[in-house]
PDB file of all heavy atoms in Angstrom:
ATOM      1  N   GLN T  15      -9.869  -2.250   6.440  1.00  0.00           N
ATOM      2  CA  GLN T  15      -8.551  -1.720   6.732  1.00  0.00           C
ATOM      3  C   GLN T  15      -7.513  -2.829   6.581  1.00  0.00           C
ATOM      4  O   GLN T  15      -7.631  -3.894   7.172  1.00  0.00           O
ATOM      5  CB  GLN T  15      -8.474  -1.125   8.127  1.00  0.00           C
ATOM      6  CG  GLN T  15      -7.178  -0.383   8.360  1.00  0.00           C
ATOM      7  CD  GLN T  15      -7.192   0.446   9.634  1.00  0.00           C
ATOM      8  OE1 GLN T  15      -8.101   0.352  10.444  1.00  0.00           O
ATOM      9  NE2 GLN T  15      -6.172   1.262   9.798  1.00  0.00           N
ATOM     10  N   VAL T  16      -6.487  -2.556   5.771  1.00  0.00           N
ATOM     11  CA  VAL T  16      -5.384  -3.483   5.549  1.00  0.00           C
ATOM     12  C   VAL T  16      -4.114  -2.702   5.868  1.00  0.00           C
ATOM     13  O   VAL T  16      -3.708  -1.840   5.096  1.00  0.00           O
ATOM     14  CB  VAL T  16      -5.350  -4.004   4.096  1.00  0.00           C
ATOM     15  CG1 VAL T  16      -4.178  -4.945   3.886  1.00  0.00           C
ATOM     16  CG2 VAL T  16      -6.661  -4.685   3.740  1.00  0.00           C
ATOM     17  N   GLY T  17      -3.535  -2.986   7.029  1.00  0.00           N
ATOM     18  CA  GLY T  17      -2.389  -2.190   7.479  1.00  0.00           C
ATOM     19  C   GLY T  17      -2.832  -0.759   7.703  1.00  0.00           C
ATOM     20  O   GLY T  17      -3.794  -0.512   8.422  1.00  0.00           O
ATOM     21  N   ASN T  18      -2.192   0.177   7.026  1.00  0.00           N
ATOM     22  CA  ASN T  18      -2.586   1.578   7.175  1.00  0.00           C
ATOM     23  C   ASN T  18      -3.429   2.065   5.990  1.00  0.00           C
ATOM     24  O   ASN T  18      -3.652   3.258   5.835  1.00  0.00           O
ATOM     25  CB  ASN T  18      -1.342   2.468   7.338  1.00  0.00           C
ATOM     26  CG  ASN T  18      -0.435   2.417   6.132  1.00  0.00           C
ATOM     27  OD1 ASN T  18      -0.584   1.537   5.275  1.00  0.00           O
ATOM     28  ND2 ASN T  18       0.511   3.326   6.054  1.00  0.00           N
ATOM     29  N   LEU T  19      -3.918   1.144   5.147  1.00  0.00           N
ATOM     30  CA  LEU T  19      -4.735   1.489   3.992  1.00  0.00           C
ATOM     31  C   LEU T  19      -6.181   1.051   4.193  1.00  0.00           C
ATOM     32  O   LEU T  19      -6.455   0.077   4.885  1.00  0.00           O
ATOM     33  CB  LEU T  19      -4.200   0.786   2.731  1.00  0.00           C
ATOM     34  CG  LEU T  19      -2.788   1.122   2.281  1.00  0.00           C
ATOM     35  CD1 LEU T  19      -2.398   0.224   1.115  1.00  0.00           C
ATOM     36  CD2 LEU T  19      -2.698   2.583   1.891  1.00  0.00           C
ATOM     37  N   TRP T  20      -7.097   1.771   3.557  1.00  0.00           N
ATOM     38  CA  TRP T  20      -8.501   1.367   3.495  1.00  0.00           C
ATOM     39  C   TRP T  20      -8.764   0.878   2.083  1.00  0.00           C
ATOM     40  O   TRP T  20      -8.544   1.602   1.118  1.00  0.00           O
ATOM     41  CB  TRP T  20      -9.419   2.537   3.835  1.00  0.00           C
ATOM     42  CG  TRP T  20      -9.383   2.861   5.291  1.00  0.00           C
ATOM     43  CD1 TRP T  20      -8.627   3.829   5.888  1.00  0.00           C
ATOM     44  CD2 TRP T  20     -10.107   2.218   6.329  1.00  0.00           C
ATOM     45  NE1 TRP T  20      -8.839   3.817   7.245  1.00  0.00           N
ATOM     46  CE2 TRP T  20      -9.751   2.838   7.549  1.00  0.00           C
ATOM     47  CE3 TRP T  20     -11.013   1.162   6.362  1.00  0.00           C
ATOM     48  CZ2 TRP T  20     -10.280   2.448   8.766  1.00  0.00           C
ATOM     49  CZ3 TRP T  20     -11.546   0.789   7.586  1.00  0.00           C
ATOM     50  CH2 TRP T  20     -11.179   1.429   8.766  1.00  0.00           C
TER      51      TRP T  20
END
Side-chain angles (χ1 to χ4, degrees):
Q15 189 169 9
V16 179
N18 62 346
L19 298 174
W20 287 97

